[in-house]
Amino acid sequence: MARTTRPTLTHVAASAGVSVSTASLAFSGAGPVSERTRQRVLDAAAELGYAGPDPMARSLRQGRTGIIGVVFAERLRHAFRDPVAIALLDGLAEELGPVGPGLLVLTGNDERAGPSTEQLAAAPLDAAVFATCDLEEEPLVEPLRVREIPMVGIEGPRMPGVSLVDIDNIGASREVTEHILSLGHKRIAAVVLPWRPGRQRGFLDRARRDLSGSVVFADRLRGTEEAIGASVHAWEAAASTVEEGRAAGRALLDVDEPPTAIVAHSDLLAAGVIQAAHELGLRVPEDLSVAGFDGIDTPWLDPLTLTTAVQPMVEKGRIAGRMVTDLLAGRTPEDVLLPVHLRVGGTTAPPR
Amino acid sequence: MARTTRPTLTHVAASAGVSVSTASLAFSGAGPVSERTRQRVLDAAAELGYAGPDPMARSLRQGRTGIIGVVFAERLRHAFRDPVAIALLDGLAEELGPVGPGLLVLTGNDERAGPSTEQLAAAPLDAAVFATCDLEEEPLVEPLRVREIPMVGIEGPRMPGVSLVDIDNIGASREVTEHILSLGHKRIAAVVLPWRPGRQRGFLDRARRDLSGSVVFADRLRGTEEAIGASVHAWEAAASTVEEGRAAGRALLDVDEPPTAIVAHSDLLAAGVIQAAHELGLRVPEDLSVAGFDGIDTPWLDPLTLTTAVQPMVEKGRIAGRMVTDLLAGRTPEDVLLPVHLRVGGTTAPPR
DNA sequence: CCCCTCGGTCGAATCGTTTCGATCGAAACG
DNA sequence: CGTTTCGATCGAAACGATTCGACCGAGGGG
């Protein structure tokens, strides 16, 4: 009587005295089954210790796993340090949660590489969301395209076969910079996001600029420069973190004639800049105006509120989730461009 | 010639003029195949646009998916705000990355609930890691146990069938408190982690204490009280965040005779307490000593270094990963207790 | 010169479901 | 009372691979 192997639907059906197909229906509820039969099946299952239909077998038959992959082109530790990425995931989880088992996080192990092509080719996904912005350089899209797996990109370049959730990086960045300009600032510097490929820290010179960077990062710089009408003195951060912002702040501020305003292309960078300013004895916003980008919570800056471009981070995830749902239902969602709005906080003021 | 459906191994084999079994071997490399044949198969595959063996079919046959589930009993947004959880995930990913497709994050959608039982029953996992500490209250273990899925718990209570990676919460917490005592402090207060169930904010009174809280949280409190030799004046935070720490700090410090030292049971809480102290015009460590727990990076406290109990966060994940590997290989790993060491920083000093 | 071995290849069984079409009895209808 | 209809149930065919044992020839050892 004792079976060493786990019970299957066949065993349950036999024990309940019904056919496998009926037993299956009893579990899935996808067909007409009399209450009595259903109960017999469930009882038999309980008695045998049957845990319900095997997910793998079910997947094979149905052709889907319910798993949505989220691709990061960074090591997990770095990707998850970014509040924007977390918010995105949260929105995604919120939208997709009830649907399937969950989110499969696909990251690289390397400091800056994403998951391997083999990993992507072998992952049991129904759809994938590219959370990183450097879509075009990624050879990661190809294996999924071959498998005909629906893909959604976040703030990436437009690519055939990849639905896009985008935000108006150029416009928002321009708006922030215009705000700074309208306050009367003349000496403005920028802290830009890491310029792919090969994140490094340092002044963004001509040569570096000419490398094709990531769309997002390039767009934010472009917005700033469009507002100024000229190229801006910029420092490139190696990552979007407070520490990097601090290093940037030090480099930009600890000079003879420091800027009176710094436009940082992320809130974390801005926070670092403010910290550096404080360390150098500069007051914000009296001696230095600082603006950020993203609109994350910055309780540690309290009582200061950061002037920044607020993007709908969680909403981005939700919309991506809805796109995934649409794609899986066979519909073709249109690309979405989400609005970003300027929030004037207490970190910007007219120059003295 | 045009096929509307995606090619399968059968098509590839036919096109290459070999049997399916041989084609399979050519892909998996698990058997002797002549170089010539292998090449023919790969060529045929390329020509047909065959993306490699279907993950679901492969899973069904092999009985495993390569997916490791990570269970959080919280909404993703909250779970991922905790640097300790991120570090754990990072260590896990590092250890398991090369093995399989990735980590399946299983969270609830509710503010404080984990994934549903059905979700767990239907997830195609090879093994699961419980990242939350409240293992015992979770009905989540059961569905996985029935499915005979190997489980690893982090800092949870000892449970049959669940391998454990633990840290010495009691000892470490005692050590931190002893350090405070050795500096000569008499008026000591604590900020404890949320006391399950029903996270709320407020003084930890008798009634609340008597509820069986989570092991970790209880252990850290116990360590503190063992050192003091009496029950401690404690504030319960609703979450392990800077904001909550700040609220706690306000409540504990904005009174007639405030404590001269506060032991916070997480670094984030400690950071909040320090912030609250500053807001109240208290200097750290001159007017108030503050200690934390965890040993996360706190660049924003710079130049202050937090006095804290440093736990090997990433290592915890790595070890959990190794345990998973062992379990999948049929070995039965022993439970692990990782050391935690006191790091004396600049936030603690003798009382004035 | 024969037998054994071994690399390379193949057929067929199997993994555990879901699902389609057929069947069967009973109720409903004319 | 015969025919339709419909709900409940069942058999059998997928789903797309892996894997085990068998087979076949060539090369090596006796």
Side-chain angles (χ1 to χ4, degrees):
Chain A
M1 197 60 214
R3 212 187 20 265
T4 166
T5 158
R6 287 230 313 291
T8 73
L9 196 53
T10 311
H11 299 132
V12 175
S15 161
V18 299
S19 72
V20 222
S21 29
T22 304
S24 172
L25 293 180
F27 273 101
S28 67
V33 179
S34 75
E35 192 44 47
R36 212 168 61 83
T37 317
R38 143 184 254 92
Q39 208 37 255
R40 257 222 315 280
V41 173
L42 295 182
D43 288 350
E47 189 182 351
L48 293 178
Y50 177 71
D54 181 284
M56 307 176 205
R58 175 206 285 268
S59 297
L60 174 58
R61 182 64 240 243
Q62 299 191 141
R64 55 196 157 74
T65 56
I67 292 184
I68 311 298
V70 190
V71 183
F72 289 92
E74 264 179 322
R75 184 169 176 161
L76 192 141
R77 147 168 32 192
H78 299 307
F80 286 13
R81 186 165 293 180
D82 185 359
V84 181
I86 303 296
L88 174 79
L89 272 178
D90 191 60
L92 256 181
E94 186 185 327
E95 189 68 28
L96 296 173
V99 177
L103 298 178
L104 184 65
V105 177
L106 297 156
T107 50
N109 253 341
D110 238 324
E111 287 309 306
R112 43 196 71 159
S116 63
T117 322
E118 298 82 45
Q119 229 172 322
L120 283 183
L125 311 172
D126 287 356
V129 176
F130 283 83
T132 67
C133 317
D134 306 280
L135 208 46
E136 68 189 340
E137 356 176 287
E138 305 302 353
L140 303 178
V141 169
E142 207 41 38
L144 295 181
R145 193 201 305 284
V146 175
R147 288 176 59 192
E148 289 176 25
I149 289 187
M151 292 176 276
V152 174
I154 310 287
E155 290 183 67
R158 229 162 284 273
M159 294 187 70
V162 181
S163 298
L164 192 63
V165 183
D166 212 345
I167 63 174
D168 183 12
N169 279 301
I170 301 184
S173 182
R174 186 174 43 218
E175 206 180 343
V176 172
T177 313
E178 278 165 354
H179 161 70
I180 299 275
L181 287 168
S182 74
L183 289 172
H185 289 275
K186 302 291 181 215
R187 290 203 310 280
I188 303 176
V191 181
V192 304
L193 290 161
W195 206 256
R196 291 286 208 103
R199 301 142 179 254
Q200 21 174 282
R201 179 194 275 201
F203 288 103
L204 188 67
D205 57 15
R206 187 90 221 129
R208 196 93 184 114
R209 261 173 211 258
D210 288 345
L211 293 172
S212 74
S214 130
V215 207
V216 182
F217 309 165
D219 281 358
R220 294 195 186 166
L221 176 59
R222 187 158 146 213
T224 296
E225 300 196 326
E226 277 186 12
I228 297 183
S231 82
V232 68
H233 181 48
W235 174 273
E236 172 189 358
S240 176
T241 63
V242 176
E243 300 98 277
E244 281 294 322
R246 195 165 143 225
R250 285 241 175 86
L252 290 171
L253 294 171
D254 201 5
V255 295
D256 275 349
E257 202 159 302
T260 61
I262 292 184
V263 178
H265 285 163
S266 87
D267 287 352
L268 291 178
L269 288 173
V273 168
I274 292 175
Q275 201 180 315
H278 286 157
E279 286 167 14
L280 292 170
L282 297 170
R283 286 164 308 160
V284 175
E286 293 83 357
D287 305 318
L288 178 74
S289 285
V290 178
F293 200 113
D294 286 339
I296 65 173
D297 280 345
T298 51
W300 11 283
L301 287 182
D302 194 277
L304 243 45
T305 315
L306 192 60
T307 294
T308 193
V310 181
Q311 63 155 310
M313 298 176 291
V314 178
E315 183 66 10
K316 229 166 41 174
R318 283 200 207 100
I319 295 199
R322 230 164 293 147
M323 277 194 177
V324 166
T325 313
D326 281 353
L327 285 165
L328 290 179
R331 294 186 290 270
T332 317
E334 303 218 354
D335 291 354
V336 170
L337 182 71
L338 293 172
V340 182
H341 74 270
L342 173 67
R343 183 187 71 200
V344 177
T347 57
T348 45
R352 289 197 306 170
Chain B
M1 197 61 212
R3 212 187 17 265
T4 165
T5 159
R6 285 230 314 291
T8 73
L9 196 54
T10 311
H11 299 131
V12 175
S15 162
V18 298
S19 72
V20 224
S21 28
T22 304
S24 173
L25 293 181
F27 273 101
S28 66
V33 180
S34 75
E35 192 46 45
R36 213 169 59 85
T37 317
R38 146 186 250 92
Q39 208 37 256
R40 257 223 315 280
V41 172
L42 295 182
D43 288 350
E47 189 182 352
L48 292 177
Y50 177 71
D54 182 285
M56 307 176 205
R58 172 205 287 266
S59 297
L60 174 58
R61 185 63 242 251
Q62 300 192 140
R64 55 199 157 73
T65 56
I67 293 184
I68 311 298
V70 190
V71 184
F72 289 92
E74 265 179 321
R75 184 171 176 161
L76 192 140
R77 150 170 27 196
H78 300 305
F80 286 13
R81 186 165 294 180
D82 186 0
V84 181
I86 303 296
L88 174 78
L89 273 178
D90 190 59
L92 257 179
E94 187 185 325
E95 189 67 28
L96 296 173
V99 179
L103 298 177
L104 185 65
V105 177
L106 297 155
T107 49
N109 253 341
D110 238 324
E111 286 310 306
R112 45 196 69 160
S116 64
T117 322
E118 297 81 43
Q119 229 171 323
L120 283 183
L125 310 173
D126 287 356
V129 176
F130 283 83
T132 66
C133 316
D134 307 280
L135 207 47
E136 69 189 339
E137 357 177 287
E138 305 301 355
L140 303 179
V141 170
E142 207 41 38
L144 295 182
R145 195 201 302 287
V146 175
R147 286 176 60 193
E148 290 175 24
I149 290 188
M151 293 177 276
V152 173
I154 308 288
E155 290 182 67
R158 227 162 285 274
M159 294 187 72
V162 181
S163 298
L164 193 63
V165 183
D166 212 346
I167 63 173
D168 182 13
N169 279 302
I170 302 184
S173 183
R174 187 173 44 215
E175 206 181 344
V176 171
T177 314
E178 277 165 356
H179 161 70
I180 300 275
L181 287 167
S182 74
L183 290 171
H185 289 275
K186 302 290 180 217
R187 290 202 311 280
I188 302 175
V191 180
V192 305
L193 291 162
W195 206 257
R196 292 281 211 109
R199 299 140 181 258
Q200 23 175 282
R201 180 193 276 200
F203 288 103
L204 187 68
D205 57 16
R206 186 87 222 133
R208 196 92 183 114
R209 262 172 210 258
D210 288 346
L211 294 172
S212 74
S214 128
V215 207
V216 182
F217 309 163
D219 281 358
R220 294 195 186 167
L221 176 59
R222 189 159 143 212
T224 296
E225 299 196 327
E226 277 185 10
I228 297 183
S231 82
V232 67
H233 181 49
W235 174 273
E236 172 188 357
S240 176
T241 62
V242 175
E243 300 98 277
E244 280 294 322
R246 194 164 146 226
R250 285 242 176 86
L252 290 171
L253 295 171
D254 201 3
V255 294
D256 275 350
E257 201 159 303
T260 61
I262 292 184
V263 178
H265 285 161
S266 85
D267 287 350
L268 290 178
L269 288 173
V273 169
I274 291 175
Q275 201 179 315
H278 286 157
E279 287 167 14
L280 293 170
L282 297 170
R283 285 164 309 159
V284 175
E286 292 82 357
D287 305 318
L288 177 74
S289 284
V290 178
F293 201 113
D294 287 338
I296 65 172
D297 279 344
T298 51
W300 10 283
L301 288 182
D302 194 279
L304 244 44
T305 315
L306 192 60
T307 294
T308 193
V310 180
Q311 63 156 309
M313 298 176 291
V314 178
E315 183 65 10
K316 230 167 41 174
R318 285 201 207 100
I319 295 201
R322 231 163 292 149
M323 279 194 175
V324 166
T325 313
D326 281 354
L327 285 165
L328 291 179
R331 294 186 290 270
T332 318
E334 303 217 354
D335 290 356
V336 169
L337 182 71
L338 292 172
V340 182
H341 74 270
L342 173 67
R343 182 187 71 201
V344 177
T347 58
T348 46
R352 291 198 305 172

